[in-house]
Amino acid sequence: MGEDMSEGHEHVPSRQRRRFPGISSRAYEHPADRSALVALRKLSGFDTVFKALSGLLPERSLRLLFLSDSVRVSDQQFAHLNDMLRDACYILDLEKVPPMYVNQDPVPNAMCIGLDEPIIVVTTGLVELLDEEEMRAVVGHEVGHALSGHSVYRTILLFLTSLAVRVAWIPLGNIAIMAIVTALREWFRKSELSADRAGLLVGQDLQSSMRGLMKLAGGHHLHQMNVDAFLKQAEEYEAGGDLRDSVLKILNVLPRSHPFTTVRAAELKKWSQSRDFQRIMDGHYPRRSEDKDTSVTDSFRESASHYATHVKSSKDPLMKLVTDIAGGAGDLGDRVRRGFEGFTSTPAREEPRRDDDASGERGGDS
């Protein structure tokens, strides 16, 4: 399905961008995403199993559907997107250019799916919403998915989500499948952060990446929005509220395949200022040729270290509580009680008036 890279980088990008020959997707992958992928790549017979699954998954149907009812990007159709796609594959050194389709849908969206070979789909809503440099970051995002092999797991997630609806009538059947779907969604949210980083490596323009994310959140009214104010929302979201809000954040994000847009923007800006990003831009990054020698244990250790650092530095009330538990704080019981006050209609620190209370006074703190 893919096109050979030797056929076509004759279109020169609008400005000079750094290229990353032989770059491994491990260079930009989020630690949690990377550890999962390294482990899966090490599994003996993994590719064989998923190729066998391809007969069950609706991949052929999807390919035929896009071919018959969408517009395939080429030199003759959406040529500017074709230039961006080839440029992104050139920068990330992806050997084959995945087929790309534009699908009529007013909702701005893009995805990379496929078991055997990835295909990229963008909606007309997205094409109409973003300018050239913003769209370049999105195309780089999807090429990053392709290079990491995310399309395989995205396809399985789509299949399982559909299957969960079909077996909802079977006792416990839906619960078992949704447990897998929930775990896949958690991984996929991290893979989206990885792909955002790939988009930045392709576009090499942080402001364009930020603008694109703002438009996904607030539409095309860019003159009414401000990057700093948008990032301030992410800080307020992370640090605001009490333990009740922390629990609600978890519940809100569980059904989503993508992190919240402000969170993505904040994560991308943080990574753009990191030493890891600078090293990649300086040409120091892991190569694809070294992937087979990657240690699963080391990858999981890096992932665990990342989460530990995230918990310690987080301003979220629940994360702070976790840090205090690890540090052995002495007033945890009282702090938990105060954090969850308000979940019931009667405040936790007040007892209801009792009919047999002669004094007529309210009880003390519980």
mmCIF file with all atom_site columns, all heavy atoms in Angstrom, residues 325-351:
data_model
loop_
_atom_site.group_PDB
_atom_site.id
_atom_site.type_symbol
_atom_site.label_atom_id
_atom_site.label_alt_id
_atom_site.label_comp_id
_atom_site.label_asym_id
_atom_site.label_entity_id
_atom_site.label_seq_id
_atom_site.pdbx_PDB_ins_code
_atom_site.Cartn_x
_atom_site.Cartn_y
_atom_site.Cartn_z
_atom_site.occupancy
_atom_site.B_iso_or_equiv
_atom_site.pdbx_formal_charge
_atom_site.auth_seq_id
_atom_site.auth_comp_id
_atom_site.auth_asym_id
_atom_site.auth_atom_id
_atom_site.pdbx_PDB_model_num
ATOM 1   N N   . ILE A 1 325 ? 1.741   10.095 51.463 1.00 0.00 ? 325 ILE A N   1
ATOM 2   C CA  . ILE A 1 325 ? 1.667   8.717  51.964 1.00 0.00 ? 325 ILE A CA  1
ATOM 3   C C   . ILE A 1 325 ? 3.048   8.069  51.898 1.00 0.00 ? 325 ILE A C   1
ATOM 4   O O   . ILE A 1 325 ? 3.498   7.400  52.833 1.00 0.00 ? 325 ILE A O   1
ATOM 5   C CB  . ILE A 1 325 ? 0.660   7.898  51.141 1.00 0.00 ? 325 ILE A CB  1
ATOM 6   C CG1 . ILE A 1 325 ? -0.763  8.384  51.426 1.00 0.00 ? 325 ILE A CG1 1
ATOM 7   C CG2 . ILE A 1 325 ? 0.777   6.408  51.450 1.00 0.00 ? 325 ILE A CG2 1
ATOM 8   C CD1 . ILE A 1 325 ? -1.815  7.739  50.551 1.00 0.00 ? 325 ILE A CD1 1
ATOM 9   N N   . ALA A 1 326 ? 3.721   8.293  50.775 1.00 0.00 ? 326 ALA A N   1
ATOM 10  C CA  . ALA A 1 326 ? 5.066   7.737  50.624 1.00 0.00 ? 326 ALA A CA  1
ATOM 11  C C   . ALA A 1 326 ? 6.019   8.335  51.643 1.00 0.00 ? 326 ALA A C   1
ATOM 12  O O   . ALA A 1 326 ? 6.945   7.675  52.115 1.00 0.00 ? 326 ALA A O   1
ATOM 13  C CB  . ALA A 1 326 ? 5.583   8.005  49.207 1.00 0.00 ? 326 ALA A CB  1
ATOM 14  N N   . GLY A 1 327 ? 5.764   9.613  52.013 1.00 0.00 ? 327 GLY A N   1
ATOM 15  C CA  . GLY A 1 327 ? 6.636   10.269 52.992 1.00 0.00 ? 327 GLY A CA  1
ATOM 16  C C   . GLY A 1 327 ? 6.214   10.040 54.428 1.00 0.00 ? 327 GLY A C   1
ATOM 17  O O   . GLY A 1 327 ? 6.885   10.490 55.350 1.00 0.00 ? 327 GLY A O   1
ATOM 18  N N   . GLY A 1 328 ? 5.102   9.361  54.630 1.00 0.00 ? 328 GLY A N   1
ATOM 19  C CA  . GLY A 1 328 ? 4.656   9.024  55.985 1.00 0.00 ? 328 GLY A CA  1
ATOM 20  C C   . GLY A 1 328 ? 4.064   10.192 56.744 1.00 0.00 ? 328 GLY A C   1
ATOM 21  O O   . GLY A 1 328 ? 4.275   10.332 57.947 1.00 0.00 ? 328 GLY A O   1
ATOM 22  N N   . ALA A 1 329 ? 3.311   11.059 56.060 1.00 0.00 ? 329 ALA A N   1
ATOM 23  C CA  . ALA A 1 329 ? 2.699   12.190 56.755 1.00 0.00 ? 329 ALA A CA  1
ATOM 24  C C   . ALA A 1 329 ? 1.723   11.700 57.809 1.00 0.00 ? 329 ALA A C   1
ATOM 25  O O   . ALA A 1 329 ? 1.014   10.718 57.620 1.00 0.00 ? 329 ALA A O   1
ATOM 26  C CB  . ALA A 1 329 ? 1.977   13.083 55.749 1.00 0.00 ? 329 ALA A CB  1
ATOM 27  N N   . GLY A 1 330 ? 1.640   12.428 58.922 1.00 0.00 ? 330 GLY A N   1
ATOM 28  C CA  . GLY A 1 330 ? 0.869   11.950 60.062 1.00 0.00 ? 330 GLY A CA  1
ATOM 29  C C   . GLY A 1 330 ? -0.590  12.335 60.067 1.00 0.00 ? 330 GLY A C   1
ATOM 30  O O   . GLY A 1 330 ? -1.381  11.738 60.790 1.00 0.00 ? 330 GLY A O   1
ATOM 31  N N   . ASP A 1 331 ? -0.987  13.332 59.288 1.00 0.00 ? 331 ASP A N   1
ATOM 32  C CA  . ASP A 1 331 ? -2.375  13.802 59.349 1.00 0.00 ? 331 ASP A CA  1
ATOM 33  C C   . ASP A 1 331 ? -3.174  13.393 58.128 1.00 0.00 ? 331 ASP A C   1
ATOM 34  O O   . ASP A 1 331 ? -4.108  14.077 57.721 1.00 0.00 ? 331 ASP A O   1
ATOM 35  C CB  . ASP A 1 331 ? -2.409  15.335 59.496 1.00 0.00 ? 331 ASP A CB  1
ATOM 36  C CG  . ASP A 1 331 ? -1.794  16.037 58.297 1.00 0.00 ? 331 ASP A CG  1
ATOM 37  O OD1 . ASP A 1 331 ? -1.057  15.369 57.541 1.00 0.00 ? 331 ASP A OD1 1
ATOM 38  O OD2 . ASP A 1 331 ? -2.065  17.240 58.113 1.00 0.00 ? 331 ASP A OD2 1
ATOM 39  N N   . LEU A 1 332 ? -2.816  12.260 57.522 1.00 0.00 ? 332 LEU A N   1
ATOM 40  C CA  . LEU A 1 332 ? -3.450  11.863 56.267 1.00 0.00 ? 332 LEU A CA  1
ATOM 41  C C   . LEU A 1 332 ? -4.947  11.640 56.411 1.00 0.00 ? 332 LEU A C   1
ATOM 42  O O   . LEU A 1 332 ? -5.718  11.999 55.529 1.00 0.00 ? 332 LEU A O   1
ATOM 43  C CB  . LEU A 1 332 ? -2.785  10.592 55.726 1.00 0.00 ? 332 LEU A CB  1
ATOM 44  C CG  . LEU A 1 332 ? -1.370  10.782 55.185 1.00 0.00 ? 332 LEU A CG  1
ATOM 45  C CD1 . LEU A 1 332 ? -0.827  9.445  54.710 1.00 0.00 ? 332 LEU A CD1 1
ATOM 46  C CD2 . LEU A 1 332 ? -1.356  11.780 54.042 1.00 0.00 ? 332 LEU A CD2 1
ATOM 47  N N   . GLY A 1 333 ? -5.370  11.010 57.511 1.00 0.00 ? 333 GLY A N   1
ATOM 48  C CA  . GLY A 1 333 ? -6.789  10.735 57.701 1.00 0.00 ? 333 GLY A CA  1
ATOM 49  C C   . GLY A 1 333 ? -7.606  12.004 57.669 1.00 0.00 ? 333 GLY A C   1
ATOM 50  O O   . GLY A 1 333 ? -8.635  12.080 57.005 1.00 0.00 ? 333 GLY A O   1
ATOM 51  N N   . ASP A 1 334 ? -7.139  13.027 58.361 1.00 0.00 ? 334 ASP A N   1
ATOM 52  C CA  . ASP A 1 334 ? -7.858  14.289 58.412 1.00 0.00 ? 334 ASP A CA  1
ATOM 53  C C   . ASP A 1 334 ? -7.847  14.968 57.039 1.00 0.00 ? 334 ASP A C   1
ATOM 54  O O   . ASP A 1 334 ? -8.849  15.535 56.608 1.00 0.00 ? 334 ASP A O   1
ATOM 55  C CB  . ASP A 1 334 ? -7.225  15.202 59.457 1.00 0.00 ? 334 ASP A CB  1
ATOM 56  C CG  . ASP A 1 334 ? -8.029  16.480 59.664 1.00 0.00 ? 334 ASP A CG  1
ATOM 57  O OD1 . ASP A 1 334 ? -9.242  16.366 59.930 1.00 0.00 ? 334 ASP A OD1 1
ATOM 58  O OD2 . ASP A 1 334 ? -7.438  17.568 59.549 1.00 0.00 ? 334 ASP A OD2 1
ATOM 59  N N   . ARG A 1 335 ? -6.718  14.863 56.335 1.00 0.00 ? 335 ARG A N   1
ATOM 60  C CA  . ARG A 1 335 ? -6.612  15.498 55.026 1.00 0.00 ? 335 ARG A CA  1
ATOM 61  C C   . ARG A 1 335 ? -7.530  14.824 54.009 1.00 0.00 ? 335 ARG A C   1
ATOM 62  O O   . ARG A 1 335 ? -8.132  15.474 53.173 1.00 0.00 ? 335 ARG A O   1
ATOM 63  C CB  . ARG A 1 335 ? -5.162  15.466 54.531 1.00 0.00 ? 335 ARG A CB  1
ATOM 64  C CG  . ARG A 1 335 ? -4.243  16.413 55.286 1.00 0.00 ? 335 ARG A CG  1
ATOM 65  C CD  . ARG A 1 335 ? -2.869  16.443 54.675 1.00 0.00 ? 335 ARG A CD  1
ATOM 66  N NE  . ARG A 1 335 ? -2.929  16.832 53.268 1.00 0.00 ? 335 ARG A NE  1
ATOM 67  C CZ  . ARG A 1 335 ? -1.867  16.809 52.463 1.00 0.00 ? 335 ARG A CZ  1
ATOM 68  N NH1 . ARG A 1 335 ? -0.705  16.379 52.929 1.00 0.00 ? 335 ARG A NH1 1
ATOM 69  N NH2 . ARG A 1 335 ? -1.974  17.181 51.205 1.00 0.00 ? 335 ARG A NH2 1
ATOM 70  N N   . VAL A 1 336 ? -7.613  13.499 54.049 1.00 0.00 ? 336 VAL A N   1
ATOM 71  C CA  . VAL A 1 336 ? -8.510  12.783 53.146 1.00 0.00 ? 336 VAL A CA  1
ATOM 72  C C   . VAL A 1 336 ? -9.950  13.174 53.420 1.00 0.00 ? 336 VAL A C   1
ATOM 73  O O   . VAL A 1 336 ? -10.731 13.424 52.500 1.00 0.00 ? 336 VAL A O   1
ATOM 74  C CB  . VAL A 1 336 ? -8.321  11.255 53.290 1.00 0.00 ? 336 VAL A CB  1
ATOM 75  C CG1 . VAL A 1 336 ? -9.405  10.520 52.508 1.00 0.00 ? 336 VAL A CG1 1
ATOM 76  C CG2 . VAL A 1 336 ? -6.946  10.835 52.787 1.00 0.00 ? 336 VAL A CG2 1
ATOM 77  N N   . ARG A 1 337 ? -10.330 13.226 54.714 1.00 0.00 ? 337 ARG A N   1
ATOM 78  C CA  . ARG A 1 337 ? -11.699 13.594 55.066 1.00 0.00 ? 337 ARG A CA  1
ATOM 79  C C   . ARG A 1 337 ? -12.026 14.993 54.560 1.00 0.00 ? 337 ARG A C   1
ATOM 80  O O   . ARG A 1 337 ? -13.081 15.225 53.958 1.00 0.00 ? 337 ARG A O   1
ATOM 81  C CB  . ARG A 1 337 ? -11.877 13.548 56.587 1.00 0.00 ? 337 ARG A CB  1
ATOM 82  C CG  . ARG A 1 337 ? -13.277 13.968 57.037 1.00 0.00 ? 337 ARG A CG  1
ATOM 83  C CD  . ARG A 1 337 ? -13.378 14.032 58.553 1.00 0.00 ? 337 ARG A CD  1
ATOM 84  N NE  . ARG A 1 337 ? -12.437 14.973 59.105 1.00 0.00 ? 337 ARG A NE  1
ATOM 85  C CZ  . ARG A 1 337 ? -12.582 16.300 59.064 1.00 0.00 ? 337 ARG A CZ  1
ATOM 86  N NH1 . ARG A 1 337 ? -13.648 16.826 58.460 1.00 0.00 ? 337 ARG A NH1 1
ATOM 87  N NH2 . ARG A 1 337 ? -11.688 17.100 59.587 1.00 0.00 ? 337 ARG A NH2 1
ATOM 88  N N   . ARG A 1 338 ? -11.116 15.938 54.763 1.00 0.00 ? 338 ARG A N   1
ATOM 89  C CA  . ARG A 1 338 ? -11.368 17.302 54.303 1.00 0.00 ? 338 ARG A CA  1
ATOM 90  C C   . ARG A 1 338 ? -11.450 17.375 52.783 1.00 0.00 ? 338 ARG A C   1
ATOM 91  O O   . ARG A 1 338 ? -12.236 18.117 52.217 1.00 0.00 ? 338 ARG A O   1
ATOM 92  C CB  . ARG A 1 338 ? -10.258 18.250 54.795 1.00 0.00 ? 338 ARG A CB  1
ATOM 93  C CG  . ARG A 1 338 ? -10.261 18.480 56.304 1.00 0.00 ? 338 ARG A CG  1
ATOM 94  C CD  . ARG A 1 338 ? -9.493  19.759 56.644 1.00 0.00 ? 338 ARG A CD  1
ATOM 95  N NE  . ARG A 1 338 ? -8.162  19.767 56.043 1.00 0.00 ? 338 ARG A NE  1
ATOM 96  C CZ  . ARG A 1 338 ? -7.074  19.281 56.619 1.00 0.00 ? 338 ARG A CZ  1
ATOM 97  N NH1 . ARG A 1 338 ? -7.158  18.716 57.813 1.00 0.00 ? 338 ARG A NH1 1
ATOM 98  N NH2 . ARG A 1 338 ? -5.900  19.334 56.014 1.00 0.00 ? 338 ARG A NH2 1
ATOM 99  N N   . GLY A 1 339 ? -10.607 16.557 52.118 1.00 0.00 ? 339 GLY A N   1
ATOM 100 C CA  . GLY A 1 339 ? -10.570 16.581 50.658 1.00 0.00 ? 339 GLY A CA  1
ATOM 101 C C   . GLY A 1 339 ? -11.859 16.125 50.027 1.00 0.00 ? 339 GLY A C   1
ATOM 102 O O   . GLY A 1 339 ? -12.247 16.612 48.969 1.00 0.00 ? 339 GLY A O   1
ATOM 103 N N   . PHE A 1 340 ? -12.564 15.183 50.677 1.00 0.00 ? 340 PHE A N   1
ATOM 104 C CA  . PHE A 1 340 ? -13.770 14.625 50.094 1.00 0.00 ? 340 PHE A CA  1
ATOM 105 C C   . PHE A 1 340 ? -15.042 15.248 50.644 1.00 0.00 ? 340 PHE A C   1
ATOM 106 O O   . PHE A 1 340 ? -16.129 14.809 50.325 1.00 0.00 ? 340 PHE A O   1
ATOM 107 C CB  . PHE A 1 340 ? -13.807 13.108 50.296 1.00 0.00 ? 340 PHE A CB  1
ATOM 108 C CG  . PHE A 1 340 ? -12.896 12.381 49.352 1.00 0.00 ? 340 PHE A CG  1
ATOM 109 C CD1 . PHE A 1 340 ? -11.662 11.912 49.771 1.00 0.00 ? 340 PHE A CD1 1
ATOM 110 C CD2 . PHE A 1 340 ? -13.278 12.187 48.040 1.00 0.00 ? 340 PHE A CD2 1
ATOM 111 C CE1 . PHE A 1 340 ? -10.823 11.254 48.895 1.00 0.00 ? 340 PHE A CE1 1
ATOM 112 C CE2 . PHE A 1 340 ? -12.447 11.523 47.152 1.00 0.00 ? 340 PHE A CE2 1
ATOM 113 C CZ  . PHE A 1 340 ? -11.212 11.057 47.582 1.00 0.00 ? 340 PHE A CZ  1
ATOM 114 N N   . GLU A 1 341 ? -14.932 16.270 51.494 1.00 0.00 ? 341 GLU A N   1
ATOM 115 C CA  . GLU A 1 341 ? -16.128 16.953 51.989 1.00 0.00 ? 341 GLU A CA  1
ATOM 116 C C   . GLU A 1 341 ? -16.881 17.551 50.817 1.00 0.00 ? 341 GLU A C   1
ATOM 117 O O   . GLU A 1 341 ? -16.312 18.129 49.907 1.00 0.00 ? 341 GLU A O   1
ATOM 118 C CB  . GLU A 1 341 ? -15.743 18.060 52.979 1.00 0.00 ? 341 GLU A CB  1
ATOM 119 C CG  . GLU A 1 341 ? -15.413 17.520 54.357 1.00 0.00 ? 341 GLU A CG  1
ATOM 120 C CD  . GLU A 1 341 ? -14.954 18.624 55.304 1.00 0.00 ? 341 GLU A CD  1
ATOM 121 O OE1 . GLU A 1 341 ? -14.906 19.786 54.864 1.00 0.00 ? 341 GLU A OE1 1
ATOM 122 O OE2 . GLU A 1 341 ? -14.651 18.324 56.453 1.00 0.00 ? 341 GLU A OE2 1
ATOM 123 N N   . GLY A 1 342 ? -18.140 17.401 50.812 1.00 0.00 ? 342 GLY A N   1
ATOM 124 C CA  . GLY A 1 342 ? -18.952 17.982 49.751 1.00 0.00 ? 342 GLY A CA  1
ATOM 125 C C   . GLY A 1 342 ? -19.497 16.969 48.770 1.00 0.00 ? 342 GLY A C   1
ATOM 126 O O   . GLY A 1 342 ? -20.314 17.295 47.929 1.00 0.00 ? 342 GLY A O   1
ATOM 127 N N   . PHE A 1 343 ? -18.990 15.716 48.817 1.00 0.00 ? 343 PHE A N   1
ATOM 128 C CA  . PHE A 1 343 ? -19.544 14.690 47.932 1.00 0.00 ? 343 PHE A CA  1
ATOM 129 C C   . PHE A 1 343 ? -20.988 14.396 48.309 1.00 0.00 ? 343 PHE A C   1
ATOM 130 O O   . PHE A 1 343 ? -21.794 13.998 47.487 1.00 0.00 ? 343 PHE A O   1
ATOM 131 C CB  . PHE A 1 343 ? -18.727 13.395 48.028 1.00 0.00 ? 343 PHE A CB  1
ATOM 132 C CG  . PHE A 1 343 ? -17.702 13.286 46.938 1.00 0.00 ? 343 PHE A CG  1
ATOM 133 C CD1 . PHE A 1 343 ? -16.363 13.098 47.240 1.00 0.00 ? 343 PHE A CD1 1
ATOM 134 C CD2 . PHE A 1 343 ? -18.074 13.368 45.609 1.00 0.00 ? 343 PHE A CD2 1
ATOM 135 C CE1 . PHE A 1 343 ? -15.418 12.991 46.232 1.00 0.00 ? 343 PHE A CE1 1
ATOM 136 C CE2 . PHE A 1 343 ? -17.146 13.263 44.591 1.00 0.00 ? 343 PHE A CE2 1
ATOM 137 C CZ  . PHE A 1 343 ? -15.811 13.078 44.912 1.00 0.00 ? 343 PHE A CZ  1
ATOM 138 N N   . THR A 1 344 ? -21.312 14.572 49.620 1.00 0.00 ? 344 THR A N   1
ATOM 139 C CA  . THR A 1 344 ? -22.691 14.371 50.068 1.00 0.00 ? 344 THR A CA  1
ATOM 140 C C   . THR A 1 344 ? -23.321 15.726 50.295 1.00 0.00 ? 344 THR A C   1
ATOM 141 O O   . THR A 1 344 ? -22.654 16.735 50.437 1.00 0.00 ? 344 THR A O   1
ATOM 142 C CB  . THR A 1 344 ? -22.716 13.566 51.394 1.00 0.00 ? 344 THR A CB  1
ATOM 143 O OG1 . THR A 1 344 ? -21.983 14.286 52.383 1.00 0.00 ? 344 THR A OG1 1
ATOM 144 C CG2 . THR A 1 344 ? -22.066 12.203 51.199 1.00 0.00 ? 344 THR A CG2 1
ATOM 145 N N   . SER A 1 345 ? -24.622 15.735 50.362 1.00 0.00 ? 345 SER A N   1
ATOM 146 C CA  . SER A 1 345 ? -25.320 17.005 50.539 1.00 0.00 ? 345 SER A CA  1
ATOM 147 C C   . SER A 1 345 ? -25.102 17.570 51.925 1.00 0.00 ? 345 SER A C   1
ATOM 148 O O   . SER A 1 345 ? -25.169 18.765 52.135 1.00 0.00 ? 345 SER A O   1
ATOM 149 C CB  . SER A 1 345 ? -26.813 16.812 50.273 1.00 0.00 ? 345 SER A CB  1
ATOM 150 O OG  . SER A 1 345 ? -27.335 15.811 51.131 1.00 0.00 ? 345 SER A OG  1
ATOM 151 N N   . THR A 1 346 ? -24.833 16.693 52.925 1.00 0.00 ? 346 THR A N   1
ATOM 152 C CA  . THR A 1 346 ? -24.584 17.145 54.287 1.00 0.00 ? 346 THR A CA  1
ATOM 153 C C   . THR A 1 346 ? -23.095 17.259 54.498 1.00 0.00 ? 346 THR A C   1
ATOM 154 O O   . THR A 1 346 ? -22.380 16.288 54.311 1.00 0.00 ? 346 THR A O   1
ATOM 155 C CB  . THR A 1 346 ? -25.151 16.143 55.315 1.00 0.00 ? 346 THR A CB  1
ATOM 156 O OG1 . THR A 1 346 ? -26.537 15.972 55.060 1.00 0.00 ? 346 THR A OG1 1
ATOM 157 C CG2 . THR A 1 346 ? -24.938 16.658 56.729 1.00 0.00 ? 346 THR A CG2 1
ATOM 158 N N   . PRO A 1 347 ? -22.563 18.437 54.850 1.00 0.00 ? 347 PRO A N   1
ATOM 159 C CA  . PRO A 1 347 ? -21.127 18.585 55.057 1.00 0.00 ? 347 PRO A CA  1
ATOM 160 C C   . PRO A 1 347 ? -20.620 17.570 56.070 1.00 0.00 ? 347 PRO A C   1
ATOM 161 O O   . PRO A 1 347 ? -21.270 17.278 57.065 1.00 0.00 ? 347 PRO A O   1
ATOM 162 C CB  . PRO A 1 347 ? -20.989 20.017 55.588 1.00 0.00 ? 347 PRO A CB  1
ATOM 163 C CG  . PRO A 1 347 ? -22.214 20.727 55.091 1.00 0.00 ? 347 PRO A CG  1
ATOM 164 C CD  . PRO A 1 347 ? -23.288 19.697 55.077 1.00 0.00 ? 347 PRO A CD  1
ATOM 165 N N   . ALA A 1 348 ? -19.409 17.040 55.818 1.00 0.00 ? 348 ALA A N   1
ATOM 166 C CA  . ALA A 1 348 ? -18.874 15.978 56.666 1.00 0.00 ? 348 ALA A CA  1
ATOM 167 C C   . ALA A 1 348 ? -18.588 16.438 58.074 1.00 0.00 ? 348 ALA A C   1
ATOM 168 O O   . ALA A 1 348 ? -18.593 15.660 59.002 1.00 0.00 ? 348 ALA A O   1
ATOM 169 C CB  . ALA A 1 348 ? -17.597 15.419 56.023 1.00 0.00 ? 348 ALA A CB  1
ATOM 170 N N   . ARG A 1 349 ? -18.323 17.743 58.260 1.00 0.00 ? 349 ARG A N   1
ATOM 171 C CA  . ARG A 1 349 ? -17.937 18.183 59.590 1.00 0.00 ? 349 ARG A CA  1
ATOM 172 C C   . ARG A 1 349 ? -19.145 18.569 60.440 1.00 0.00 ? 349 ARG A C   1
ATOM 173 O O   . ARG A 1 349 ? -19.014 19.061 61.540 1.00 0.00 ? 349 ARG A O   1
ATOM 174 C CB  . ARG A 1 349 ? -16.958 19.351 59.492 1.00 0.00 ? 349 ARG A CB  1
ATOM 175 C CG  . ARG A 1 349 ? -17.523 20.608 58.880 1.00 0.00 ? 349 ARG A CG  1
ATOM 176 C CD  . ARG A 1 349 ? -16.493 21.716 58.917 1.00 0.00 ? 349 ARG A CD  1
ATOM 177 N NE  . ARG A 1 349 ? -15.314 21.324 58.165 1.00 0.00 ? 349 ARG A NE  1
ATOM 178 C CZ  . ARG A 1 349 ? -14.081 21.764 58.415 1.00 0.00 ? 349 ARG A CZ  1
ATOM 179 N NH1 . ARG A 1 349 ? -13.877 22.608 59.401 1.00 0.00 ? 349 ARG A NH1 1
ATOM 180 N NH2 . ARG A 1 349 ? -13.067 21.381 57.679 1.00 0.00 ? 349 ARG A NH2 1
ATOM 181 N N   . GLU A 1 350 ? -20.363 18.410 59.917 1.00 0.00 ? 350 GLU A N   1
ATOM 182 C CA  . GLU A 1 350 ? -21.544 18.725 60.705 1.00 0.00 ? 350 GLU A CA  1
ATOM 183 C C   . GLU A 1 350 ? -22.441 17.507 60.820 1.00 0.00 ? 350 GLU A C   1
ATOM 184 O O   . GLU A 1 350 ? -22.612 16.770 59.858 1.00 0.00 ? 350 GLU A O   1
ATOM 185 C CB  . GLU A 1 350 ? -22.328 19.867 60.040 1.00 0.00 ? 350 GLU A CB  1
ATOM 186 C CG  . GLU A 1 350 ? -21.568 21.198 60.033 1.00 0.00 ? 350 GLU A CG  1
ATOM 187 C CD  . GLU A 1 350 ? -22.425 22.309 59.471 1.00 0.00 ? 350 GLU A CD  1
ATOM 188 O OE1 . GLU A 1 350 ? -23.593 22.010 59.124 1.00 0.00 ? 350 GLU A OE1 1
ATOM 189 O OE2 . GLU A 1 350 ? -21.960 23.448 59.387 1.00 0.00 ? 350 GLU A OE2 1
ATOM 190 N N   . GLU A 1 351 ? -22.997 17.294 61.989 1.00 0.00 ? 351 GLU A N   1
ATOM 191 C CA  . GLU A 1 351 ? -23.969 16.223 62.184 1.00 0.00 ? 351 GLU A CA  1
ATOM 192 C C   . GLU A 1 351 ? -25.365 16.818 62.139 1.00 0.00 ? 351 GLU A C   1
ATOM 193 O O   . GLU A 1 351 ? -25.579 17.961 62.559 1.00 0.00 ? 351 GLU A O   1
ATOM 194 C CB  . GLU A 1 351 ? -23.758 15.538 63.536 1.00 0.00 ? 351 GLU A CB  1
ATOM 195 C CG  . GLU A 1 351 ? -22.439 14.768 63.612 1.00 0.00 ? 351 GLU A CG  1
ATOM 196 C CD  . GLU A 1 351 ? -22.305 14.092 64.957 1.00 0.00 ? 351 GLU A CD  1
ATOM 197 O OE1 . GLU A 1 351 ? -23.235 14.237 65.785 1.00 0.00 ? 351 GLU A OE1 1
ATOM 198 O OE2 . GLU A 1 351 ? -21.275 13.448 65.200 1.00 0.00 ? 351 GLU A OE2 1
#
